[in-house]
């Protein structure tokens, strides 16, 4: 697909352009058998790999120091976790500490990289949709059976575009809306509002889950593993509605109840062993609705679960115990997260105390400086949640590149979303919400210990942190609960060891300064 990717024109951003790899045209590329499926694979690969080679060497996007930094889920995870109480990092790469400290700027390479990833994904999807219209298929003589497959491929492409646009408005607020109807080479796009993007994502997801349409996703649970089905789209819709008070100033909790209810009733079951969801054979675990697959032999990059398994390991932790060749000595969590777990909660089994977080030990085992506790891996709590070993203790196929898939959407999240939406609206069934929460708690080894009086929004926010720790939900959750900036403190928030509040404008990241220079139609978010 090097040739096909070379044909893509970008309409939304400027720093991520790719150059044609040959003089081939779209018509001869798409005349090949399997070309549409290959292109779709590249669209899914946009969430996973970092370029045209693996693990590095021909990056999709530039303007970032290291190709490994540019992987979609590594960037998204950093935006969602390093800015919260769930994660700190010892490294001092350009701009990374600013995510912990809530003092990022419009030139932060990780924020710029995430914005670029969103629009790189959008632009590729748009080109696929341009090249797979009825007129194009007719001109290439595509037969009925193949055409039917392509209709599903188009639905999947629209899902992936909607997913990235949801990430875009969640992280950056008002961004351009660029579809396949936007002519390549046209003038720079206008800036759209969150409301406009919200409405577009909503309409797209509803269209591709409507069985009366030609371009429709497979029924829930009937798609190929790692590809989108209707349940995956329902989860994005539910996420959109859950955060509608932030995005568009509307309470859409009744819609959250409807769409999480569809997921819950679709036949999924909770995985009995919580840890299995984050191990090298988690493709066999129950309750994963949409995953980004990784394979140590065939999907090699330095993002995703490669990052999430290596970065929390270091010092005296034996990498072999986690199926790894070495640790990267970086990620830890804070006492604020550890203290949420109660005795007997099996979900904190992956925590390992590495030292004192506030009372600095002057004698560290590897000679690290004690002048900068956040920069010392020995300070805080190690949390090797994602591991490259199987549920029966065997190492993954490759000690550098894990087999562990990234579970983007899980059934337990749908349970928690249903319960929260029930409390925030007149919709939903409180007894069912209580039962679902008790299902989650029972799986964690706590029994069915909740009663109706325990159902409070504060409890659910904490329970979401316990259940979904390090799964890239925390920032969005804290913003929805008004705990991310002007309220709520945790260690190192605001660059202060004990934590402090920060300005509310940081509820969204800035539009990259490079985009503002390239597109005069864009306005910067307030405060930056």
């Amino acid at each position: 697909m090097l040739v096909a990717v070379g044909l893509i024109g970008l309409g939304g951003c400027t720093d991520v352009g790719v150059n044609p790899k040959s003089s081939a045209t779209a018509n001869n590329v798409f005349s090949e058998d399997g070309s549409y499926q290959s292109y779709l694979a590249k669209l899914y690969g946009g969430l996973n790999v970092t370029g045209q080679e693996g693990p590095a060497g021909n990056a999709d996007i530039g303007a970032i120091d290291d190709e490994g930094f540019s992987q979609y889920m590594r960037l998204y995870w950093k935006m969602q976790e390093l800015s919260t109480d769930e994660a700190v990092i010892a490294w001092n790469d350009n701009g990374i500490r600013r995510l912990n400290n809530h003092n990022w700027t419009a030139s932060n390479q990780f924020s710029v990289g995430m914005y670029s990833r969103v629009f790189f994904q959008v632009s590729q999807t748009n080109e696929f949709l341009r090249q797979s219209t009825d007129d194009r298929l007719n001109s290439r003589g595509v037969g009925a059976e193949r055409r039917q497959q392509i209709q599903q491929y188009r639905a999947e492409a629209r899902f992936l575009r909607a997913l990235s646009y949801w990430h875009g408005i969640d992280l950056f607020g008002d961004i351009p809306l660029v579809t396949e109807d936007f002519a390549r080479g046209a003038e720079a796009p206008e800036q759209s509002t969150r409301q406009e993007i919200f409405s577009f994502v909503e309409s797209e997801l509803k269209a591709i889950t409507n069985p009366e349409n030609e371009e429709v996703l497979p029924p829930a649970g009937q798609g190929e593993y790692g590809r989108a089905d209707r349940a995956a789209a329902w989860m994005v819709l539910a996420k959109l509605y859950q955060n509608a008070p932030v995005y568009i100033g509307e309470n859409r909790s009744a819609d959250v109840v409807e769409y999480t209810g569809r997921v819950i009733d679709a036949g999924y079951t909770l995985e009995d062993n919580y840890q299995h969801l984050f191990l090298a054979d988690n493709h066999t675990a129950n309750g994963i609705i949409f995953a980004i697959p990784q394979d140590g032999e065939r999907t090699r990059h330095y993002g995703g679960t490669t990052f999430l398994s290596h970065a929390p390991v270091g010092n005296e932790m034996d990498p072999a115990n986690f199926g790894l060749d070495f640790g990267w000595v970086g990620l830890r969590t804070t006492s604020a997260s550890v203290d949420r777990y109660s005795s007997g909660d099996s979900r904190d089994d992956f925590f390992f105390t590495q030292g004192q977080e506030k009372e600095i030990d002057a004698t560290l085992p590897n000679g690290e400086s004690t002048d900068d506790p956040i920069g010392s891996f020995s300070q805080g709590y190690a949390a090797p949640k994602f591991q490259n070993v199987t549920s029966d203790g065997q190492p993954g196929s490759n000690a550098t590149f894990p087999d562990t898939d990234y579970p983007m959407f899980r059934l337990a999240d749908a349970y928690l979303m249903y319960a929260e939406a029930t409390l925030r609206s007149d919709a939903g069934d409180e007894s069912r919400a209580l039962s679902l929460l008790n299902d989650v708690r029972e799986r964690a080894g706590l029994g069915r210990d909740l009663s109706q009086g325990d159902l409070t929004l504060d409890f659910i926010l904490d329970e979401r942190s316990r259940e979904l720790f390090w799964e890239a939900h925390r920032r969005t959750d804290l913003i929805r609960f008004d705990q991310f900036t002007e309220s709520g403190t945790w260690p190192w928030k605001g660059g202060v060891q004990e934590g402090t509040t920060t300005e509310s404008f940081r509820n969204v990241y800035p539009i990259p300064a490079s985009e503002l220079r390239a597109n005069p139609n864009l306005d910067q978010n307030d405060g930056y």
Side-chain angles (χ1 to χ4, degrees), residues 79-80 83-85 102 104 169-173 194 242-247 420 424 461 473-488 490 493 502-509 528:
M79 299 294 101
Q80 292 285 59
S83 58
T84 76
D85 55 354
H102 274 223
W104 52 79
I169 63 166
D170 184 83
L171 294 167
F172 300 103
R194 261 182 166 176
Q242 183 184 45
N243 296 287
V246 175
Y247 302 156
E420 180 183 334
R424 292 186 185 272
L461 178 61
H473 299 284
R474 186 61 173 167
R475 170 190 161 275
T476 301
D477 287 348
L478 287 173
I479 291 171
R480 188 174 65 257
F481 281 80
D482 192 27
Q483 294 292 309
F484 185 64
T485 52
E486 292 183 313
S487 301
W490 54 81
K493 181 183 176 183
T502 54
E503 306 95 330
S504 62
F505 70 80
R506 295 194 182 277
N507 285 332
V508 291
Y509 287 101
Y528 291 105

Side-chain angles (χ1 to χ4, degrees), residues 178-198:
V178 184
T179 72
E180 68 272 26
D181 296 327
F182 188 87
R184 290 186 296 167
E187 294 182 1
E190 298 289 334
Q191 190 166 19
S192 300
T193 65
R194 261 182 166 176
Q195 174 70 72
E196 290 169 329
I197 305 288
F198 182 102

Side-chain angles (χ1 to χ4, degrees), residues 88-395:
V88 293
I89 196 161
W91 305 337
N92 200 26
D93 300 291
N94 180 28
I96 198 167
R97 197 73 61 79
R98 287 182 174 272
L99 299 178
N100 279 147
N101 294 343
H102 274 223
N103 62 355
W104 52 79
T105 69
S107 298
N108 184 280
Q109 68 165 328
F110 301 102
S111 179
V112 171
M114 187 66 230
Y115 188 96
S116 299
R117 269 291 166 202
V118 166
F119 280 101
F120 185 76
Q121 191 76 348
V122 166
S123 63
Q124 291 191 96
T125 306
N126 286 342
E127 186 62 15
F128 178 81
L129 294 172
R130 292 187 191 105
Q131 297 296 335
S132 57
T133 62
D134 285 340
D135 287 345
R136 292 291 177 93
L137 298 181
N138 289 337
S139 70
R140 295 168 187 152
V142 176
E145 182 177 352
R146 192 172 169 207
R147 186 184 297 256
Q148 187 174 9
Q149 289 179 328
I150 292 171
Q151 296 305 316
Q152 180 183 318
Y153 296 166
R154 286 176 61 86
E156 292 179 74
R158 292 167 69 182
F159 165 82
L160 292 170
R161 182 175 62 180
L163 176 68
S164 287
Y165 264 126
W166 166 54
H167 289 160
I169 63 166
D170 184 83
L171 294 167
F172 300 103
D174 297 343
I175 57 177
L177 175 58
V178 184
T179 72
E180 68 272 26
D181 296 327
F182 188 87
R184 290 186 296 167
E187 294 182 1
E190 298 289 334
Q191 190 166 19
S192 300
T193 65
R194 261 182 166 176
Q195 174 70 72
E196 290 169 329
I197 305 288
F198 182 102
S199 298
F200 174 76
V201 172
E202 178 184 31
S203 64
E204 285 286 282
L205 293 172
K206 285 187 172 182
I208 61 176
T209 54
N210 184 348
E212 296 181 1
N213 292 338
E214 287 186 350
E215 295 178 14
V216 63
L217 295 172
Q222 296 185 30
E224 184 178 3
Y225 179 79
R227 293 170 64 179
D229 61 14
R230 291 174 209 172
W234 293 336
M235 284 297 291
V236 180
L237 266 173
K239 292 289 183 184
L240 195 70
Y241 293 137
Q242 183 184 45
N243 296 287
V246 175
Y247 302 156
I248 61 173
E250 295 180 11
N251 185 340
R252 300 292 295 272
S253 295
D255 294 307
V256 179
V257 169
E258 177 184 348
Y259 283 96
T260 56
R262 292 189 188 190
V263 173
I264 293 165
D265 294 335
Y268 296 97
T269 58
L270 285 179
E271 169 60 39
D272 291 337
N273 179 2
Y274 178 79
Q275 190 64 38
H276 186 195
L277 293 160
F278 313 101
L279 298 179
D281 59 348
N282 61 349
H283 62 284
T284 66
N286 294 317
I288 295 178
I289 295 165
F290 182 66
I292 300 176
Q294 284 198 216
D295 182 282
E297 298 300 323
R298 290 168 294 204
T299 314
R300 295 185 175 186
H301 54 74
Y302 294 104
T305 58
T306 306
F307 165 69
L308 289 174
S309 60
H310 282 276
V313 174
N315 284 5
E316 297 181 5
M317 301 164 67
D318 184 355
N321 291 339
F322 309 100
L324 305 173
D325 47 6
F326 57 90
W328 292 359
V329 196
L331 288 175
R332 298 96 73 214
T333 190
T334 72
S335 58
S337 288
V338 174
D339 290 348
R340 289 192 192 98
Y341 293 88
S342 59
S343 176
D345 193 329
S346 64
R347 295 171 297 190
D348 72 347
D349 287 347
F350 47 82
F351 287 124
F352 293 83
T353 302
Q354 286 294 96
Q356 299 299 315
E357 188 165 321
K358 294 185 178 179
E359 296 179 11
I360 306 304
D361 184 352
T363 57
L364 302 177
N366 56 2
E368 294 170 338
S369 169
T370 61
D371 295 333
D372 180 14
I374 198 173
S376 169
F377 185 77
S378 295
Q379 310 306 308
Y381 298 85
K385 180 173 183 173
F386 294 86
Q387 301 180 14
N388 189 31
V389 294
T390 65
S391 52
D392 60 0
Q394 298 302 308

Side-chain angles (χ1 to χ4, degrees), residues 50 55-56 66 68-69 71 74 300-304 306-307 328 400-401:
T50 56
D66 184 288
F69 294 169
Q71 196 259 356
R74 180 169 174 174
R300 295 185 175 186
H301 54 74
Y302 294 104
T306 306
F307 165 69
W328 292 359
T400 301
F401 304 103

